[in-house]
Amino acid sequence: KLLIKDLKVDEVPLRIYQPKWPPTGKRRGILYFHGGAGTFGSIRAFERICRYIAKKCNSVVVSVGYRLAPEHPYPGQYCDCLSATLYFMRNLEEYHVDPALIIISGDSCGANFATVICQILLNKRDLPKVRAQVLLYPGLQGLDFHLPSYQQNASVPMLFRKLVIYFCFRYLNKEPSVLEDVLQNCHVPESMKQKYKKWISADIIPDEFKIRGYVPQKSTLYKPEVHEATKELLAITFSPLLAEDSILCQLPEAYIVTCEFDVLRDDGLLYKKRLEDNGVQVTWYHSESGFHGILAFFGYGIFSFLSGKKIMDSTVNYINSL
């Protein structure tokens, strides 16, 4: 039912999925950035998700095979995603895509890339405006690794709390020698904690998400050498949740998926609140039994999860509502 085409743009592999039936009108165009902590994952691993969206939403889906760290150093992944986005936006005619219906999406770190690309595109006045951002269990900040979801789900597969920091270090090509210090938030200067606590803090997380074994963190000692070694964690590129209100208020409407058993759950909740506080419309889907990376099993028959299917169907319904 689909025409599938592979091509390269500025050395970045793309796979483009289009419905075979001729378009009755202009179609939606959806960019998809896959998860994998910026260090693994591929177009092939997310084939079933992209096929499903292309068919169910009668859309053109562009899956982006950005090059992986540490071989392709950070922040090259953002550059690759931006190159792919610019190529697509400049060739909409060829794909019969409506310039008013461009959606930028991704899961996990791919949702982080989608968030950052939406922010970058605000400065590109010569391009169509993005219609919506679709963010599936996004990871959006490296400031606080003691949020309730990090504590509650520290040992829940597939993404342990320690593993998050390990992947961050691998992605940024850092030695994991200060991993324990970062786990304790020793990399964040007190002035920064104060500045951003209005946006990133357990106090902002709704109480119903704190019932399951959350203990407020005692203040930790700031270590300048740890900050120096890991300051990329606090850059806007890596932590788009730290972008100023003046940027967030201009962003397109968002669809955000969070999973209860996911260390990154609270990143999604905090971003939802920030967007809403800035007048951006948010559609939120919370999977009560979902866990991080659940969509990696989507479409695998008996190995897939009902919660994953529900996430995908909710996502498809949202896209079709635009």
Side-chain angles (χ1 to χ4, degrees):
K1 292 178 183 174
L2 295 172
L3 292 167
I4 300 175
K5 177 167 99 171
D6 286 331
L7 68 149
K8 273 194 173 180
V9 172
D10 297 337
E11 298 302 304
V12 184
L14 307 182
R15 183 165 291 172
I16 301 177
Y17 304 83
Q18 301 174 76
K20 268 187 181 162
W21 55 92
T24 47
K26 296 275 181 143
R27 288 188 164 122
R28 295 178 195 85
I30 302 169
L31 285 134
Y32 190 87
F33 308 134
H34 67 75
T39 63
F40 62 96
S42 66
I43 285 175
R44 223 172 68 226
F46 289 80
E47 177 90 17
R48 293 172 314 287
I49 288 174
C50 292
R51 283 174 183 255
Y52 193 76
I53 294 172
K55 281 190 279 204
K56 294 283 184 184
C57 301
N58 186 24
S59 301
V60 178
V61 176
V62 179
S63 183
V64 181
Y66 55 85
R67 291 166 290 180
L68 303 173
E71 293 78 8
H72 187 63
Y74 163 88
Q77 293 66 35
Y78 297 94
C79 304
D80 285 359
C81 289
L82 183 60
S83 291
T85 304
L86 296 178
Y87 159 78
F88 186 51
M89 284 185 151
R90 288 170 179 152
N91 291 278
L92 298 177
E93 276 295 310
E94 185 185 333
Y95 299 104
H96 303 290
V97 166
D98 185 341
L101 284 175
I102 294 170
I103 296 156
I104 296 188
S105 66
D107 68 282
S108 191
C109 78
N112 174 298
F113 302 157
T115 307
V116 173
I117 297 302
C118 283
Q119 293 181 4
I120 291 171
L121 290 175
L122 294 175
N123 298 320
K124 300 204 176 284
R125 305 283 180 214
D126 57 323
L127 293 170
K129 283 183 79 165
V130 176
R131 177 69 180 84
Q133 44 185 331
V134 169
L135 312 173
L136 312 173
Y137 39 74
L140 299 170
Q141 57 87 30
L143 184 98
D144 189 348
F145 295 106
H146 265 275
L147 291 168
S149 61
Y150 269 106
Q151 289 189 30
Q152 295 161 338
N153 303 310
S155 305
V156 174
M158 298 178 354
L159 190 61
F160 306 128
R161 180 162 161 255
K162 262 191 177 168
L163 208 50
V164 174
I165 318 286
Y166 171 77
F167 281 139
C168 288
F169 279 46
R170 184 169 158 74
Y171 175 50
L172 298 170
N173 207 5
K174 304 279 181 192
E175 288 299 318
S177 52
V178 292
L179 192 143
E180 290 297 331
D181 289 321
V182 172
L183 267 177
Q184 298 307 318
N185 293 339
C186 298
H187 64 303
V188 187
E190 196 53 44
S191 59
M192 220 171 184
K193 281 181 184 166
Q194 293 307 315
K195 178 182 177 183
Y196 290 124
K197 74 175 182 185
K198 62 183 185 287
W199 297 338
I200 299 178
S201 159
D203 299 341
I204 308 168
I205 302 295
D207 287 343
E208 66 261 31
F209 293 103
K210 296 180 193 167
I211 298 164
R212 202 165 43 88
Y214 164 66
V215 181
Q217 188 200 15
K218 295 179 175 66
S219 61
T220 50
L221 184 69
Y222 166 58
K223 298 185 178 177
E225 70 280 8
V226 178
H227 171 72
E228 194 53 41
T230 62
K231 56 179 185 277
E232 288 92 340
L233 289 172
L234 305 170
I236 302 293
T237 326
F238 190 93
S239 296
L241 195 45
L242 303 181
E244 293 297 326
D245 287 342
S246 56
I247 291 172
L248 264 72
C249 67
Q250 301 178 65
L251 288 171
E253 71 169 85
Y255 170 82
I256 298 175
V257 168
T258 53
C259 290
E260 180 57 37
F261 299 100
D262 178 5
V263 283
L264 302 183
R265 179 197 70 203
D266 293 350
D267 285 22
L269 295 177
L270 292 171
Y271 195 54
K272 169 184 180 285
K273 182 177 189 317
R274 282 215 62 203
L275 288 172
E276 288 173 340
D277 287 350
N278 279 282
V280 177
Q281 186 184 328
V282 178
T283 303
W284 173 49
Y285 180 84
H286 182 64
S287 175
E288 295 282 353
S289 54
F291 56 88
H292 193 82
I294 192 169
L295 294 179
F297 300 93
F298 176 74
Y300 269 125
I302 58 166
F303 298 107
S304 59
F305 292 83
L306 181 60
S307 301
K309 174 84 164 65
K310 286 180 174 173
I311 289 170
M312 284 308 300
D313 287 342
S314 167
T315 304
V316 159
N317 289 341
Y318 170 75
I319 291 170
N320 283 334
S321 74
L322 297 172

